[in-house]
């Protein structure tokens, strides 16, 4: 659904339009669920995350500001933040002992190869393409899987201090690049 | 810590890479430093376009029904002006944010009479004959805010919301199930400082647990919760568990 249409829908949701709420759910829930389940790895917990996000949206749709981000970007940010909270609260051990866990064999998504990129993603991808390959990999592992510094260090066989430095340098460069 | 260090910590928190002492430091700053929270939100938005590359996965069909049911109780009269609407929503929010289980448990008419919700007549509370759902409205002797907790036995899920309740800096609120038969209280987990939170406690609760004079309480604890998981701190909010009618 085009960005403008999502913007109109969220304006209507802020006015308690249930039809718009349903249409917004239909247009965005598959993306938000995919964001959540990559992080929390379990179907039931990912559904809880998405439920919390949409309940918050129903009561706080008026908080959305179109000059700061697109609707989808805003919702992805809220969803991922909530999913990270759940992940940290429950811990890996508890998350992985459930029979309904999501198969985590998925490769890291490649935002640079996406056929249709929003303007926001184009700018961010441009900035990230300027990072060293190792640094870019660390940021993407963190973003898509919710890994901590320590977990990235283990998965890439790299000292934790090196991972921290790479990510910090990357974040500084990303901010500087986006500000240009 | 310089301003740049603070913003970098916020960026790492938004990315989700912090653990150990760094994560604790960030949690403390969230409670005490509003600009730190602003940095986190800015970074969450900066990085969020990466989510576009994640391939869609449709949730199960029942999720929409759960969400829709959760919103249906708040019906603000549509003829109000924008300003009246905004003021009304704020008044409702300050009193309580509610959803259908509370309405079913406490009676819609009673809620309207109490002025807790505004009702435009369009909503009919759903009736479930075998729902195993319970609700508790938690109030405080010292705070004006309240918590609403709904409990579903079949899927061991709690939904919790509050108008404005938030723990003091460097403290946590913990949710407990109290029994009137002398059994020790069960911790149901920490309450997160968000508007709506779904909790799946590590301990199970049965219909019998909730049907026999149980109460729900919120205690004030050191950050991270009761040190041994059993000794409850000062109770700040408390309320009876009521079955859904």
């Amino acid at each position: 659904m085009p960005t403008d249409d999502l913007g109109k829908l969220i304006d209507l949701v802020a006015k308690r339009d249930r039809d718009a709420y349903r249409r917004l759910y239909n247009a965005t829930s598959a993306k938000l669920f995919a964001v959540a389940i990559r992080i929390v790895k379990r179907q039931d917990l990912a559904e809880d995350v998405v439920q919390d996000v949409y309940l918050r949206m129903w009561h706080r749709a008026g908080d959305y500001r179109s000059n700061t981000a697109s609707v989808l970007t805003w919702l992805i940010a809220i969803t991922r933040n909530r999913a990270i909270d759940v992940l940290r609260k429950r811990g890996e051990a508890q998350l992985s002992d459930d029979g309904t866990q999501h198969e985590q064999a998925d490769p890291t998504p490649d935002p640079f190869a996406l056929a249709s990129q929003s303007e926001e993603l184009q700018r961010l991808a441009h900035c990230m393409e300027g990072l060293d390959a190792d640094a870019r990999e660390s940021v993407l592992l963190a973003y898509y899987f919710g890994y901590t510094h320590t977990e990235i260090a283990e998965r890439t066989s790299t000292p934790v201090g090196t991972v921290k430095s790479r990510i910090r340098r990357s974040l500084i460069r990303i901010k500087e690049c986006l500000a240009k | 810590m310089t301003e740049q260090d603070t913003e970098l910590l916020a960026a790492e928190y938004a990315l989700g890479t912090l653990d150990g002492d760094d994560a604790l430091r960030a949690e403390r700053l969230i409670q005490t430093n509003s600009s730190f929270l602003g940095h986190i939100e800015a970074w969450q938005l900066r990085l969020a376009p990466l989510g576009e590359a994640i391939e869609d996965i449709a949730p199960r069909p029942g999720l929409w029904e759960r969400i829709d049911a959760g919103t249906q109780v708040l019906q603000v009269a549509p003829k109000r002006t924008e300003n009246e609407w905004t003021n009304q929503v704020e008044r409702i929010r300050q009193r309580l944010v509610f959803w259908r289980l509370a309405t079913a448990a406490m009676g819609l008419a009673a809620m309207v009479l109490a002025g807790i919700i505004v009702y435009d007549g369009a909503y009919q509370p759903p009736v479930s004959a075998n729902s195993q759902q319970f609700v508790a409205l938690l109030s405080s002797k010292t705070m004006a805010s309240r918590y609403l907790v709904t409990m579903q036995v079949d899927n061991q899920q709690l939904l919790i919301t509050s108008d404005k309740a938030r723990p003091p800096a460097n403290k946590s609120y913990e949710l407990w199930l109290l029994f009137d038969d002398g059994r020790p209280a069960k911790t149901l987990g920490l309450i997160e400082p968000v508007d709506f939170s779904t909790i799946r406690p590590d301990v199970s609760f049965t219909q019998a647990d909730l049907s026999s004079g149980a109460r729900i309480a919120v205690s004030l604890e050191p950050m991270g919760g009761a040190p041994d998981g059993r000794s409850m701190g000062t109770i700040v909010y408390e309320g009876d568990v009521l079955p859904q009618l």
Side-chain angles (χ1 to χ4, degrees):
Chain A
M1 181 175 284
T3 300
D4 287 353
D5 290 352
L6 290 180
K8 288 173 187 166
L9 285 180
I10 203 141
D11 286 345
L12 290 169
V13 172
K15 294 170 183 166
R16 291 290 197 270
D17 183 323
R18 288 199 164 272
D19 180 57
Y21 189 46
R22 177 65 189 253
R23 286 161 59 204
L24 193 58
Y25 176 87
N26 289 342
T28 57
S29 58
K31 177 66 71 190
L32 302 190
F33 183 73
V35 169
I37 202 163
R38 287 197 77 90
I39 303 285
V40 301
K41 303 177 185 68
R42 259 175 50 181
Q43 176 118 4
D44 56 347
L45 295 177
E47 288 174 351
D48 291 351
V49 167
V50 172
Q51 173 173 290
D52 290 348
V53 170
Y54 282 97
L55 285 176
R56 177 180 168 185
M57 189 206 299
W58 178 247
H59 292 282
R60 296 288 187 88
D63 287 357
Y64 169 67
R65 297 288 175 267
S66 59
N67 60 346
T68 57
S70 72
V71 172
L72 189 60
T73 297
W74 184 61
L75 293 176
I76 288 172
I78 294 170
T79 304
R80 186 175 176 279
N81 179 44
R82 186 84 192 101
I84 292 279
D85 283 349
V86 170
L87 178 69
R88 298 287 178 261
K89 187 176 161 191
R90 296 189 70 91
E92 287 281 351
Q94 289 169 299
L95 284 168
S96 60
D97 63 2
D98 184 281
T100 60
Q101 67 179 305
H102 180 60
E103 178 56 55
Q104 272 297 291
D106 294 343
T108 308
D110 185 355
F112 314 108
L114 203 60
S116 173
Q117 297 178 334
S118 70
E119 192 177 324
E120 292 166 300
L121 179 56
Q122 285 176 29
R123 292 181 62 218
L124 181 57
H126 166 73
C127 291
M128 291 190 67
E129 281 170 336
L131 303 175
D132 296 339
D134 290 340
R136 188 165 59 235
E137 180 194 22
S138 294
V139 173
L140 294 179
L141 282 173
Y143 189 84
Y144 288 120
F145 297 100
Y147 292 153
T148 63
H149 288 137
T150 307
E151 290 166 336
I152 294 168
E154 289 169 358
R155 281 166 171 79
T156 59
S157 302
T158 308
V160 175
T162 305
V163 170
K164 281 187 183 179
S165 301
R166 277 180 187 162
I167 289 179
R168 285 179 184 168
R169 279 201 305 273
S170 300
L171 293 169
I172 291 169
R173 290 187 63 181
I174 288 170
K175 188 188 174 194
E176 289 172 350
C177 177
L178 287 174
K180 286 179 184 170
Chain B
M1 187 182 274
T2 66
E3 181 59 25
Q4 188 185 35
D5 290 340
T6 303
E7 187 183 349
L8 260 181
L9 189 69
E12 292 172 303
Y13 186 87
L15 185 58
T17 53
L18 297 178
D19 48 17
D21 290 343
D22 289 338
L24 283 176
R25 191 176 309 128
E27 298 284 356
R28 287 196 187 97
L29 280 172
I30 286 172
Q31 293 187 342
T32 57
N33 183 336
S34 59
S35 68
F36 184 70
L37 192 57
H39 286 315
I40 290 173
E41 290 171 352
W43 271 103
Q44 287 169 344
L45 290 176
R46 256 181 217 124
L47 297 170
L50 292 173
E52 289 177 33
I54 297 175
E55 195 169 334
D56 289 4
I57 303 173
R60 289 181 288 195
L63 182 58
W64 165 253
E65 280 67 34
R66 272 173 54 187
I67 293 167
D68 190 43
T71 61
Q72 287 207 28
V73 76
L74 272 181
Q75 297 282 345
V76 178
K79 291 178 184 173
R80 292 173 190 277
T81 65
E82 186 70 20
N83 199 33
E84 287 170 335
W85 184 89
T86 304
N87 292 340
Q88 186 63 45
V89 168
E90 184 57 22
R91 279 199 292 277
I92 294 167
R93 209 174 63 76
Q94 285 173 0
R95 286 171 170 169
L96 201 59
V97 178
F98 246 82
W99 57 66
R100 74 176 180 116
L101 298 182
T103 308
M106 303 185 71
L108 183 61
M111 298 294 288
V112 173
L113 286 173
I116 292 174
I117 63 171
V118 172
Y119 180 54
D120 68 357
Y123 175 68
Q124 295 298 317
V127 175
S128 173
N130 190 26
S131 60
Q132 294 193 325
Q133 291 169 332
F134 295 80
V135 62
L137 181 61
L138 314 184
S139 57
S140 170
K141 290 176 182 169
T142 56
M143 318 280 266
S145 50
R146 289 180 275 193
Y147 277 104
L148 176 74
V149 183
T150 64
M151 287 151 282
Q152 300 177 50
V153 175
D154 53 353
N155 62 7
Q156 294 289 299
Q157 183 189 75
L158 283 87
L159 300 174
I160 183 162
T161 187
S162 177
D163 39 7
K164 287 193 168 177
R166 296 286 186 272
N170 296 321
K171 299 284 185 183
S172 292
Y173 279 161
E174 189 161 352
L175 199 64
W176 299 82
L177 179 58
L178 314 180
F179 304 97
D180 68 349
D181 59 6
R183 277 185 287 166
K186 279 184 183 179
T187 176
L188 298 171
L190 295 181
I191 301 174
E192 296 173 72
V194 294
D195 295 348
F196 301 93
S197 177
T198 303
I199 298 176
R200 291 178 186 271
D202 295 331
V203 298
S204 62
F205 52 90
T206 66
Q207 184 159 15
D209 284 340
L210 303 181
S211 300
S212 52
R215 293 173 68 74
I216 297 281
V218 172
S219 67
L220 182 65
E221 306 289 349
M223 184 174 277
D228 60 2
R230 292 191 301 275
S231 306
M232 204 184 330
T234 307
I235 291 179
V236 186
Y237 300 86
E238 194 171 10
D240 292 330
V241 176
L242 305 170
Q244 180 181 352
L245 298 176

